[in-house]
Amino acid sequence: MAPRFLCLQGHLWSYPEDAGERPDKAIFCPTCGLRLYTEAQAASIPVRSQHFFPSPPTPMNSIGADPAPAIQANDIEAIPGYELLGILGRGGMGIVFRARQLSLKRQVALKMILTGRQARPAERARFQREAEAVARLQHPNIVQIYEVGEQNGLPYFSLEFVNAGSLAQFLGNQPQSPRMGAALVEELALAMHYAHKRGIVHRDLKPANILLHLDESAIFKDGQLTDSGAFRNLLMYVPKITDFGLAKHVGGEEAFRGTIVGTPSYMAPEQARGTSGEIGPAADVYALGAILYEMLTGRPPFNAATPDETAQQVLGQEPPPPTQIQPRVPRDLETICLVCLQKNPAHRYGNAEALAEDLRRFLANEPILARRTHLPERVVKWAIRRPLMATLSLVLLIATLLLWWTWWQRVTEFQQEKQQLVVALQSSEDQLLQAIQTIDQMADQPDRVDRLPLLKAKAFYEHLVDQDGPPARVALAHYRLGRIHERLGDDEEAQASYREAIARWEKLAQDWPADLAYPSHLQDGRERLQRLAGRRKP
């Protein structure tokens, strides 16, 4: 039985026994270009299961037994300097071979027109535009073009060979980690911003047109798998945008005027309407949002039974929020995704760089710009980014609160003590007034006057007049002090106190003419002063 080999995409192949090669020698899958491993080697690679690489295995094939493409065998052999090793894929217009460039001894992807020499002028023009578009772009996340040529009427160009299949094959309708999705789309957005600045709009961005490159040296050592979980991590791959067959040169002549171009599940509404004049970089921003949506939810935003129905959904329906399908999708990432998928191009991100910046902010736990972030959320994000500063700030805040609380307690205690003093003073004043009234009632019995309460009252009111309190209170204190002096027989002191009280009441009566209490006090004070002065005359 011929030895069997398996690639990481799940393609199974037999190796010709008469090829004279060692069975355990690493070869490449003619379908996808990945390395082939013996069944024993493949058994130790857990990622060959459909959970990680969902592409169904192909039926048993024999190396070199690919189905015949539309171009003829002599056309394939006619490309000098290249050795064809297998087919990588077919599209609506082109076919891509895995090939070896003999002069530089490197693997390349060799693209030709599917219909070969029978290609119509429109197909040749489109093929040429794709080559020109890719040639304008030199970016690590865009598949690079090496050579453009034509052999015996058959146009071709060679491209960078990408070894790990497409993003669509990797996803397999399975949602990915939100941070992985954000990181990958950030790279793609920066790449498309680079293309947009050079006047190129892709118009057919989708997971199938995002190839993944895997540096096997980081995973395999001496032919052995060093990290069985590495293939599951999308961040191990370098995404590369390919297939610029529908690309539009901004400002150039439109090749598909009046026709709908793109893939319905990922095309912007302006594409679905067929209004080519409206299609610009915003269409690629929409497609990047659709790719992010699929990475978050496991499905594109719109995917009806037919392309026409899908296009109608793109035009007339809003996509379900990602959290409705996957509740654990972060709110900020959902916001970024839905901004990209706005029907009106003016409501999307202004350019792909702005999208990349918001994705960077999300990954760095910074507030995104697509919506207004509330203060508590901004504080939490800042604390995540600056844990040391956040800890120090928290300690400082707690210390400040403790100091403020201590100060407030002292102020409260002071206010309470002051209030208690006021109450005590009021109680003492009430007692003294009662004593004065008693003295007044006993005026006709001078021998019964008790001097001790009067002396206490005198000390109390002398203290009050020395305090710079409210004017009305100080005036009343002078008046009562005069009465005390009068009862104690100190007529001169009494007159001085009455005069001071009268002067203060006169000023209060001028300042507050509506208050009738001041004239009454004035009259009483003057009468007492006159009576006392008359009593002193010989």
Side-chain angles (χ1 to χ4, degrees), residues 365 379-395:
N365 292 306
V379 171
V380 170
K381 289 178 176 293
W382 175 81
I384 294 174
R385 297 195 310 272
R386 301 285 190 274
L388 180 60
M389 289 294 295
T391 303
L392 293 175
S393 300
L394 181 60
V395 171

Side-chain angles (χ1 to χ4, degrees), residues 302-349:
F302 302 105
N303 191 18
T306 66
D308 287 343
E309 291 177 0
T310 303
Q312 290 304 314
Q313 289 181 352
V314 170
L315 289 171
Q317 297 183 17
E318 294 296 330
T323 52
Q324 184 175 318
I325 303 170
Q326 293 293 327
R328 294 186 178 181
V329 172
R331 179 187 174 190
D332 278 357
L333 200 54
E334 177 181 71
T335 300
I336 292 172
C337 185
L338 294 179
V339 169
C340 294
L341 297 177
Q342 291 292 309
K343 303 294 185 188
N344 188 339
H347 295 165
R348 301 172 202 154
Y349 285 98

Side-chain angles (χ1 to χ4, degrees), residues 201-242:
V201 180
H202 192 287
R203 297 200 294 187
D204 197 22
L205 287 173
K206 56 185 178 181
N209 285 340
I210 309 299
L211 302 182
L212 302 176
H213 183 77
L214 182 66
D215 185 2
E216 295 186 13
S217 63
I219 302 172
F220 290 93
K221 185 176 181 180
D222 299 328
Q224 299 297 321
L225 189 67
T226 58
D227 182 3
S228 60
F231 291 105
R232 311 175 192 181
N233 186 355
L234 186 59
L235 300 181
M236 291 292 297
Y237 299 83
V238 178
K240 293 180 178 287
I241 301 170
T242 189

Side-chain angles (χ1 to χ4, degrees), residues 2 45 155-156 195 215 324 406 414 442 490 518:
I45 304 176
Y156 68 89
D215 185 2
Q324 184 175 318
T406 303
F414 175 76
M442 298 185 338
D490 299 331
Y518 298 136

Side-chain angles (χ1 to χ4, degrees), residues 61-72:
N61 295 286
S62 177
I63 294 292
D66 295 317
I71 54 179
Q72 302 301 315

Side-chain angles (χ1 to χ4, degrees), residues 164-470:
S166 69
L167 178 62
Q169 292 170 321
F170 184 97
L171 297 179
N173 301 322
Q174 296 294 324
Q176 304 299 309
S177 158
R179 296 189 69 83
M180 285 187 182
L184 183 131
V185 176
E186 179 191 7
E187 287 190 78
L188 298 179
L190 289 173
M192 287 315 305
H193 180 66
Y194 169 88
H196 294 160
K197 289 194 300 183
R198 283 151 184 80
I200 301 298
V201 180
H202 192 287
R203 297 200 294 187
D204 197 22
L205 287 173
K206 56 185 178 181
N209 285 340
I210 309 299
L211 302 182
L212 302 176
H213 183 77
L214 182 66
D215 185 2
E216 295 186 13
S217 63
I219 302 172
F220 290 93
K221 185 176 181 180
D222 299 328
Q224 299 297 321
L225 189 67
T226 58
D227 182 3
S228 60
F231 291 105
R232 311 175 192 181
N233 186 355
L234 186 59
L235 300 181
M236 291 292 297
Y237 299 83
V238 178
K240 293 180 178 287
I241 301 170
T242 189
D243 197 350
F244 283 76
L246 299 182
K248 172 185 176 181
H249 181 213
V250 178
E253 183 179 352
E254 175 55 58
F256 305 99
R257 188 176 303 276
T259 61
I260 298 176
V261 297
T263 303
S265 291
Y266 307 93
M267 66 169 53
E270 58 267 30
Q271 288 180 262
R273 287 192 295 268
T275 52
S276 57
E278 299 178 9
I279 300 175
D284 286 342
V285 171
Y286 181 99
L288 290 169
I291 294 172
L292 178 60
Y293 188 102
E294 182 168 353
M295 296 187 71
L296 297 177
T297 65
R299 46 156 285 188
F302 302 105
N303 191 18
T306 66
D308 287 343
E309 291 177 0
T310 303
Q312 290 304 314
Q313 289 181 352
V314 170
L315 289 171
Q317 297 183 17
E318 294 296 330
T323 52
Q324 184 175 318
I325 303 170
Q326 293 293 327
R328 294 186 178 181
V329 172
R331 179 187 174 190
D332 278 357
L333 200 54
E334 177 181 71
T335 300
I336 292 172
C337 185
L338 294 179
V339 169
C340 294
L341 297 177
Q342 291 292 309
K343 303 294 185 188
N344 188 339
H347 295 165
R348 301 172 202 154
Y349 285 98
N351 51 55
E353 185 180 37
L355 167 59
E357 171 61 17
D358 248 5
L359 291 169
R360 184 201 66 78
R361 286 174 171 269
F362 167 77
L363 293 169
N365 292 306
E366 297 177 6
I368 64 171
L369 302 177
R371 67 177 176 86
R372 188 180 184 88
T373 308
H374 299 297
L375 180 60
E377 189 175 353
R378 295 173 69 91
V379 171
V380 170
K381 289 178 176 293
W382 175 81
I384 294 174
R385 297 195 310 272
R386 301 285 190 274
L388 180 60
M389 289 294 295
T391 303
L392 293 175
S393 300
L394 181 60
V395 171
L396 181 60
L397 177 61
I398 292 174
T400 303
L401 289 176
L402 288 174
L403 290 174
W404 176 84
W405 178 254
T406 303
W407 173 82
W408 178 253
Q409 289 289 92
R410 294 294 300 274
V411 169
T412 304
E413 292 173 1
F414 175 76
Q415 293 291 346
Q416 291 174 350
E417 293 174 356
K418 183 178 179 181
Q419 185 65 29
Q420 292 172 359
L421 179 60
V422 170
V423 172
L425 290 173
Q426 186 65 45
S427 177
S428 300
E429 186 176 0
D430 291 342
Q431 293 176 7
L432 293 171
L433 288 174
Q434 185 177 1
I436 294 173
Q437 291 173 359
T438 302
I439 293 170
D440 288 340
Q441 293 172 1
M442 298 185 338
D444 56 344
Q445 305 177 34
D447 56 325
R448 296 185 56 188
V449 174
D450 188 354
R451 294 178 63 86
L452 182 59
L454 290 173
L455 293 174
K456 290 182 178 180
K458 176 184 175 184
F460 175 75
Y461 283 112
E462 285 177 344
H463 176 74
L464 284 184
V465 297
D466 288 339
Q467 305 297 320
D468 190 15

